[in-house]
């Protein structure tokens, strides 16, 4: 697919680049007026890379989200940036997501990562939220999106990003619960047996849990889903009620994260 896109826009022989966007590159609205032809070509280019970003390329999700903001009036800097993404795709044609059974790290345990760029949009100073969730050896869900409000601190921006990731985590947990897919982690399964969540006839005390099996649970209790956040202030907001007094200005819609942490559905860590 990527080869077809490169050929379509005459970039099959372009110079490969190692990053989706230029280091430290910040785009702003174009002061001029783009022609109908330029607008159409730009939208086609962004749409082409967006298809790849949505399907199998989370590494270009942020770049695609940023470039799509300028679809209505693209300028020379925006064309340069979208071509930069295509040059990056040229150098990473063999990149893909693989899902391999029998991994020794996290098994099939669901876990996620979240981040934001505080005030990254130079036009309105809004931040961009991003998250990725992994299950087994590969990513299963990811997103990059500009926040609806202006964050007054990096902690607030990270907290809002964490709220967006939490909603996705809860949706995935519900889906896995309906499919009766539960973690086949040995330690968790034996702990669940002791708590009565699983049939104790599944295996003996000294018997290893087969790594290629799932078990139908007696209860629908799932372990807390870890969400890793790189801001200690935002992490504290999800756990410490005293911190909430300092953040009354943050939209109440984002504070549901703390309730989900208290109910042990989610676990936010630094």
């Amino acid at each position: 697919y990527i080869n077809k896109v490169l050929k379509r826009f005459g970039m099959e022989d372009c110079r490969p680049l190692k990053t989706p966007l230029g280091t430290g590159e910040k785009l702003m609205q174009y002061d001029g007026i783009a022609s109908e032809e330029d607008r159409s070509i730009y939208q086609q280019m962004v749409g082409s890379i967006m298809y790849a970003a949505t399907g199998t390329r989370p590494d270009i999700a942020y770049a695609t989200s940023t470039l799509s903001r300028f679809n209505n009036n693209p300028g020379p800097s925006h064309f340069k940036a979208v071509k930069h993404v295509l040059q990056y795709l040229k150098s990473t044609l063999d990149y893909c997501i693989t899902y391999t059974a029998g991994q020794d790290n996290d098994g099939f345990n669901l876990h996620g990562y979240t981040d934001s760029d505080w005030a990254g949009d130079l036009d309105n100073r809004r931040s961009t939220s991003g998250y990725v969730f992994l299950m087994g050896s590969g990513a299963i869900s990811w997103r990059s999106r500009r926040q609806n409000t202006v964050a007054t601190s990096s902690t607030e921006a990270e907290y809002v990003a964490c709220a967006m990731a939490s909603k996705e985590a809860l949706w995935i947990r519900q889906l896995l619960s309906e499919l009766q897919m539960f973690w086949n982690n040995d330690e968790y399964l034996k702990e669940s047996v002791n708590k009565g969540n699983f049939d104790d006839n599944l295996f003996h005390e000294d018997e290893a849990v087969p790594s290629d099996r799932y078990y139908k649970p007696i209860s629908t209790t799932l372990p807390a889903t870890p969400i890793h956040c790189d801001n200690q202030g935002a992490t504290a907001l999800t756990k410490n009620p005293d911190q909430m007094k300092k953040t009354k200005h943050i939209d109440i819609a984002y504070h549901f994260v703390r309730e989900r942490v208290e109910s042990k559905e989610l676990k936010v860590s630094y």
Side-chain angles (χ1 to χ4, degrees):
Y1 171 77
I2 293 176
N3 278 324
K4 290 181 179 179
V5 172
L6 292 172
K7 185 176 181 180
R8 177 184 178 186
F9 297 109
M11 297 190 64
E12 62 269 31
D13 297 322
C14 65
R15 179 171 61 92
L17 295 176
K18 296 183 178 180
T19 58
L21 288 177
T23 304
E25 182 173 9
K26 297 291 185 179
L27 298 174
M28 299 183 66
Q29 296 290 343
Y30 180 44
D31 292 335
I33 301 177
S35 65
E36 287 293 334
E37 182 181 3
D38 284 348
R39 189 180 297 114
S40 176
I41 294 175
Y42 182 83
Q43 291 173 356
Q44 292 176 43
M45 296 175 76
V46 172
S48 296
I49 63 174
M50 185 176 293
Y51 181 81
T54 303
T56 59
R57 296 300 298 267
D59 52 332
I60 62 171
Y62 173 77
T64 305
S65 174
T66 300
L67 292 170
S68 64
R69 301 170 190 169
F70 309 102
N71 278 342
N72 291 332
N73 192 38
S77 61
H78 307 131
F79 273 100
K80 180 180 178 181
V82 74
K83 289 180 179 179
H84 190 118
V85 177
L86 292 174
Q87 289 176 272
Y88 169 73
L89 292 175
K90 170 73 173 179
S91 68
T92 57
L93 288 172
D94 57 343
Y95 278 23
C96 61
I97 302 176
T98 58
Y99 303 96
T100 306
Q103 293 293 309
D104 296 329
N105 43 28
D106 290 322
F108 283 93
N109 291 340
L110 176 69
H111 57 288
Y113 298 86
T114 179
D115 199 4
S116 72
D117 69 332
W118 180 38
D121 191 324
L122 298 182
D123 291 306
N124 53 31
R125 283 305 182 182
R126 293 185 183 179
S127 308
T128 299
S129 301
Y131 65 75
V132 59
F133 283 93
L134 297 90
M135 189 173 181
S137 61
I140 62 169
S141 177
W142 56 87
R143 191 179 188 185
S144 177
R145 180 185 178 184
R146 186 172 55 182
Q147 296 178 2
N148 295 328
T149 58
V150 177
T152 58
S153 67
S154 59
T155 294
E156 180 179 344
E158 296 281 358
Y159 190 59
V160 172
C162 188
M164 184 178 78
S166 298
K167 294 178 182 179
E168 182 69 7
L170 295 174
W171 182 87
I172 297 175
R173 286 170 59 88
Q174 180 62 35
L175 176 62
L176 296 176
S177 178
E178 293 177 1
L179 295 175
Q180 295 185 342
M181 292 180 63
F182 294 84
W183 321 144
N184 60 354
N185 177 278
D186 290 17
E187 182 179 351
Y188 170 68
L189 282 177
K190 291 190 175 183
E191 180 182 353
S192 297
V193 167
N194 294 332
K195 293 180 179 180
N197 292 346
F198 290 83
D199 187 351
D200 57 7
N201 293 322
L202 288 176
F203 52 84
H204 299 291
E205 183 67 26
D206 57 349
E207 181 183 356
V209 181
S211 60
D212 58 347
R213 289 188 58 188
Y214 290 106
Y215 298 99
K216 183 176 180 179
I218 294 176
S219 75
T220 57
T221 302
L222 284 169
T225 299
I227 298 179
H228 304 287
C229 173
D230 66 350
N231 185 284
Q232 293 183 352
T235 303
L237 283 177
T238 67
K239 303 174 183 178
N240 189 350
D242 292 335
Q243 295 288 334
M244 304 298 281
K245 300 175 183 178
K246 305 176 183 178
T247 57
K248 290 183 178 180
H249 63 285
I250 300 179
D251 195 320
I252 192 172
Y254 302 119
H255 286 311
F256 82 98
V257 179
R258 185 169 175 272
E259 291 185 355
R260 300 301 183 175
V261 171
E262 286 182 340
S263 64
K264 300 188 184 304
E265 294 176 86
L266 305 176
K267 180 181 179 182
V268 181
S269 60
Y270 178 72

